[in-house]
Amino acid sequence: MKRIKLWDKEFEIAINNSDIQLAVKRMAGEMKTDLEGKETLFICILNGAFMFASELMKELELPDAEISFLKLSSYSGANSTGEIKELIGLNEVITGRTVVILEDIVDSGLTIKEVLNQLLDKGAREVKIATLLFKPQALKVDINLDYVGLEIPNDFIVGFGLDYDRRGRNYKDIYSLVTE
Ligand code: IMP
Ligand code: MG
């Protein structure tokens, strides 16, 4: 089984690129049906979703689609769920728009819920969530995920945009942490 080493940790292959591509193509098809004619703004959450967003946008046949990118500040103040993250780099007008958030993975769901709430606060007409990966066993918030690529176990993974301490984002397959 193919393995990689990042820093001090070993990872073994968990999801092949061909399976990722199939999931992405299916998601693109679902989005085309839902979003035709809606002048949708797709927002890629950096850094992790860059590869997912790139593959998805190549598969999406929507002539009125636009894409933008945002980053979350690591910390700024606190709220009941923990911390409020600031959305950085979003210059587009959100008011009245259909927005689709592109995320690499939903784990506890706190990050995506925060982004969703902030986009609704900015006046989005509707906000849909698309995540390549979803760990259902880790979910801590009540949230509706509109497009899910693959459901995965509650293991730590890297590759296809996801990192372990900044490394591993560049791999085309997804690897999970070896814990023995
Ligand atoms: P959440 O707020 O707990 O849902 O976490 C979401 C963020 O945590 C993702 O956007 C990832 O950046 C990171 N994350 C969660 N699980 C993993 C993982 O297994 N590997 C790498 N990053 C992860
Ligand atoms: Mg992320």
Side-chain angles (χ1 to χ4, degrees):
M1 190 170 265
K2 200 177 160 198
R3 286 196 174 205
I4 56 172
K5 188 167 186 207
L6 303 172
W7 304 109
D8 56 330
K9 297 212 178 341
E10 296 263 354
F11 296 81
E12 64 185 13
I13 190 125
I15 308 172
N16 277 306
N17 184 265
S18 55
D19 292 327
I20 300 172
Q21 296 296 342
L22 279 177
V24 170
K25 283 196 173 78
R26 177 183 40 77
M27 295 172 90
E30 292 167 7
M31 288 178 190
K32 184 173 161 62
T33 308
D34 291 354
L35 302 169
E36 201 105 63
K38 285 195 167 180
E39 301 185 357
T40 305
L41 176 63
F42 291 84
I43 299 179
C44 168
I45 311 295
L46 296 173
N47 296 325
F50 81 99
M51 231 182 244
F52 167 49
S54 164
E55 294 304 306
L56 180 79
M57 295 313 286
K58 284 185 269 183
E59 297 295 335
L60 247 189
E61 290 167 21
L62 288 177
D64 58 7
E66 297 171 24
I67 184 161
S68 189
F69 302 84
L70 69 77
K71 249 184 136 82
L72 302 175
S73 68
S74 55
Y75 183 75
S76 69
N79 69 4
S80 55
T81 53
E83 56 188 60
I84 296 171
K85 289 179 174 166
E86 201 184 333
L87 311 191
I88 301 168
L90 192 63
N91 303 315
E92 281 73 12
V93 174
I94 301 299
T95 314
R97 299 204 66 173
T98 294
V99 176
V100 177
I101 306 170
L102 303 179
E103 179 59 301
D104 51 358
I105 186 165
V106 173
D107 188 55
S108 71
L110 288 167
T111 306
I112 204 79
K113 183 120 193 169
E114 182 65 32
V115 175
L116 170 72
N117 287 340
Q118 291 204 31
L119 291 172
L120 288 171
D121 284 350
K122 288 182 194 292
R125 191 170 65 83
E126 67 178 329
V127 182
K128 292 177 181 285
I129 297 172
T131 185
L132 176 64
L133 302 161
F134 175 40
K135 293 181 184 171
Q137 292 152 21
L139 193 67
K140 287 193 190 132
V141 296
D142 182 21
I143 193 156
N144 180 46
L145 304 177
D146 300 275
Y147 308 100
V148 175
L150 298 160
E151 290 194 4
I152 60 168
N154 209 357
D155 302 327
F156 187 78
I157 53 156
V158 295
F160 206 79
L162 291 113
D163 72 308
Y164 163 53
D165 202 7
R166 309 186 306 282
R167 292 191 181 173
R169 294 194 197 276
N170 51 304
Y171 287 85
K172 70 179 165 64
D173 304 306
I174 288 173
Y175 296 80
S176 67
L177 180 65
V178 177
T179 51
E180 83 263 334

